[in-house]
Amino acid sequence: MNLPDPAADPSVAPNEHDTPSPTAFEPLTAVQARVLATLMEKARTVPDSYPLTLNSLLLGCNQKSARDPVLNLSESEIALALDGLRQRTLVFESSGGRVPRFEHNFQRAVGVPEQAAVLLGLLMLRGPQTAGELRLNAERWYRFLDIASVEAFLEELQQRPAQKGGPLVALLPRQPGAREPRWAHLLCGAPAPELLAEAGGAGLGIGKGTELATQLATQMAALAERVQALEQQVQELQQRLEQAGV
């Protein structure tokens, strides 16, 4: 698979391909996810206008095309979401201009490759999608060779180990009459039970869909606990090294 030159990609900050230290991913709010994904989108589709001003970001978050759900956020809501994202180094504020501008730091902060970041950004903006829909919707972001390559990156995100923060996507049960199952991101936590229950009506049953949602939430909580335990062990080891004068 051919990868573009990171230096020529305006959505990739310097050293953005470096993998950060493993940490449990704290779920985003719906507004934070919309703000972050909009920055990721505009970095690729309108690079000449990137980084974005607060007003441009407001328009992008509230646009009616390529958004599911369509939102009507206020400037104060976006500013609050930006504050939270900056605290987590997911967003940076550019300096030097007459007005503040904002850029994302998603790949480095989360520790995923470019193709995976593209898929996560699309899932945050457009909601659950099939692998085929993701490949089509990604055309202006990144050109995947085929659907199989999309599925490969999705499966990698689904199988992401606890040491790296745990899974970032989940495969939803197939909807009634649908040919392909949809994928959902986990950046805001486990998918809503109604997503699984709705799909579970065909063969799985409503109760089975809800059960899957509960199981997924339990697995994510367990993974988060394991990551926190690993972080504690690393901190204790660092303290011992410091005490030993190493």
Side-chain angles (χ1 to χ4, degrees):
M1 184 180 303
N2 296 324
L3 298 179
D5 181 7
D9 188 345
S11 69
V12 181
N15 300 322
E16 193 166 337
H17 293 275
D18 296 344
T19 302
S21 300
T23 182
F25 188 85
E26 179 185 348
L28 301 171
T29 67
V31 178
Q32 287 175 337
R34 176 57 57 88
V35 168
L36 181 58
T38 298
L39 288 171
M40 295 167 68
E41 174 194 51
K42 301 306 180 183
R44 293 176 177 276
T45 60
V46 287
D48 292 342
S49 302
Y50 186 82
L52 300 183
T53 63
L54 182 59
N55 185 60
S56 297
L57 183 54
L58 174 67
L59 294 175
C61 288
N62 291 337
Q63 72 181 53
K64 311 232 181 277
S65 61
R67 300 290 184 268
D68 187 10
V70 174
L71 301 178
N72 185 26
L73 301 175
S74 66
E75 189 172 296
S76 61
E77 287 177 307
I78 291 179
L80 182 62
L82 284 169
D83 286 341
L85 292 169
R86 282 185 294 183
Q87 291 174 11
R88 300 173 59 179
T89 68
L90 285 164
V91 167
F92 290 135
E93 181 177 334
S94 303
S95 58
R98 291 181 299 174
V99 295
R101 289 180 175 270
F102 304 93
E103 58 184 310
H104 78 87
N105 185 42
F106 184 82
Q107 279 179 245
R108 187 181 181 205
V110 180
V112 294
E114 176 189 13
Q115 299 92 332
V118 166
L119 297 174
L120 288 168
L122 285 167
L123 289 171
M124 283 190 284
L125 280 181
R126 294 173 174 252
Q129 298 161 75
T130 67
E133 290 171 335
L134 283 166
R135 181 177 181 240
L136 180 63
N137 293 331
E139 280 294 307
R140 296 182 63 197
W141 292 44
Y142 180 91
R143 290 185 178 272
F144 287 93
L145 182 63
D146 50 30
I147 294 178
S149 63
V150 174
E151 291 175 333
F153 281 105
L154 289 168
E155 289 169 1
E156 183 177 311
L157 289 170
Q158 184 186 35
Q159 299 166 8
R160 195 168 185 248
Q163 291 84 349
K164 292 187 177 181
L168 295 177
V169 300
L171 183 62
L172 302 177
R174 187 175 301 171
Q175 290 182 302
R179 297 180 58 184
E180 299 178 57
R182 298 181 302 165
W183 292 83
H185 73 84
L186 302 177
L187 295 168
C188 294
E194 56 266 25
L195 281 176
L196 296 176
E198 174 186 290
L204 287 173
I206 299 300
K208 183 64 175 177
T210 304
E211 179 183 347
L212 286 171
T214 303
Q215 291 176 352
L216 182 56
T218 302
Q219 292 172 0
M220 288 187 64
L223 286 171
E225 290 179 1
R226 290 174 60 188
V227 172
Q228 290 174 357
L230 287 171
E231 290 178 334
Q232 182 64 33
Q233 292 175 11
V234 171
Q235 290 176 0
E236 292 175 356
L237 179 59
Q238 289 175 337
Q239 291 174 357
R240 292 176 184 174
L241 291 173
E242 291 175 357
Q243 293 172 357
V246 178

